[in-house]
Amino acid sequence: MKVALINENSQAAKNQIIFETLKKVCDSKGYQTFNYGMYGKQGESQLTYVQNGLLASILLNAGAVDFVITGCGTGQGAMTALNSFPGIVCGLAEEPTDAYLFSQINGGNALSIPFAKGFGWGGELNLQLIFERLFAEPMGGGYPKERAVPERCNAGILQKVKAQVYRPLTEVLDRLDPDFVKETIAGEHFAEYFMANAQDGQIKDRIAALLA
């Protein structure tokens, strides 16, 4: 599994501690991790939580990653933004049980975390426990286990509905302000990571043209 971290501007200063914690858990599972920023560096391209949604959609729809970790001050804005874009089912986790239940019941592909609200003493420990429970078992395993079949059915219905009510990402990219998209993909390592891992040729070509 390939897992990406995306931070928006208000919580960019926490990027390194979040990524190191995520990588520690993912390394133990044999997963690859990619830090798409923001990195908390002076002068870097700014990401709002809305751009987190667009960036996550690009990565997931192109097959560059399988799962996205993101967040903002409360986690609410990033979750809302990610769910506004095609190809994403994003949950919100303030503590480890939230992460586990989302992974097992909803089987989504993104998780938003509050990186300011409640992030005090032991904040990095709570993050580690969230990541451990998120990836404890294969996604969509069900909870309780006897509910696995109807839960998978409901998740499948949601995916089918979203496929009908959301425009394909290629159409979304054509409709958005090109400068907005270019700023979203202007991160220091975006081109390096994305071009090496993206699987969808149409999306990859659209992004390559914007990067040129």
Side-chain angles (χ1 to χ4, degrees):
M1 179 182 282
K2 295 176 181 177
V3 182
L5 171 64
I6 305 172
N7 276 111
E8 46 78 70
N9 48 23
S10 78
Q11 301 303 308
K14 295 189 179 86
N15 173 266
Q16 196 59 37
I17 189 171
I18 297 166
F19 184 70
E20 288 176 358
T21 306
L22 175 63
K23 189 175 186 303
K24 177 181 177 181
V25 174
C26 287
D27 284 353
S28 72
K29 305 286 291 185
Y31 299 162
Q32 289 180 275
T33 48
F34 298 89
N35 189 353
Y36 278 87
M38 296 177 56
Y39 305 104
K41 296 180 179 179
Q42 188 173 5
E44 69 180 318
S45 178
Q46 299 292 297
L47 290 177
T48 65
Y49 65 76
V50 180
Q51 288 170 303
N52 281 22
L54 174 57
L55 180 51
S57 188
I58 291 170
L59 297 178
L60 290 166
N61 281 279
V65 301
D66 304 300
F67 202 95
V68 169
I69 298 293
T70 188
C72 55
T74 65
Q76 300 283 2
M79 179 190 68
T80 302
L82 264 69
N83 283 321
S84 299
F85 287 91
I88 302 178
V89 175
C90 181
L92 173 71
E94 296 187 15
E95 47 86 22
T97 304
D98 293 337
Y100 179 75
L101 293 177
F102 171 70
S103 74
Q104 295 306 296
I105 296 171
N106 308 106
N109 55 8
L111 188 71
S112 180
I113 300 171
F115 293 132
K117 177 179 176 289
F119 198 100
W121 188 82
E124 73 285 357
L125 177 58
N126 188 52
L127 273 183
Q128 180 175 329
L129 295 173
I130 285 175
F131 297 145
E132 287 176 351
R133 297 315 297 159
L134 176 67
F135 300 124
E137 300 175 27
M139 297 284 174
Y143 184 88
K145 296 303 180 185
E146 60 267 22
R147 290 283 304 160
V149 173
E151 286 168 358
R152 281 196 291 268
C153 179
N154 289 337
I157 292 170
L158 177 61
Q159 293 286 5
K160 290 177 182 177
V161 169
K162 287 171 70 73
Q164 295 301 316
V165 300
Y166 283 63
R167 296 180 183 277
L169 181 61
T170 49
E171 290 187 25
V172 173
L173 291 172
D174 288 341
R175 288 168 173 265
L176 290 175
D177 178 351
D179 290 337
F180 178 78
V181 180
K182 288 179 181 179
E183 184 178 30
T184 300
I185 60 175
E188 181 180 353
H189 296 290
F190 173 84
E192 172 191 354
Y193 295 158
F194 178 81
M195 298 307 291
N197 292 284
Q199 305 297 313
D200 186 288
Q202 283 191 316
I203 298 174
K204 189 174 183 178
D205 288 345
R206 297 289 179 92
I207 296 301
L210 288 167
L211 290 170

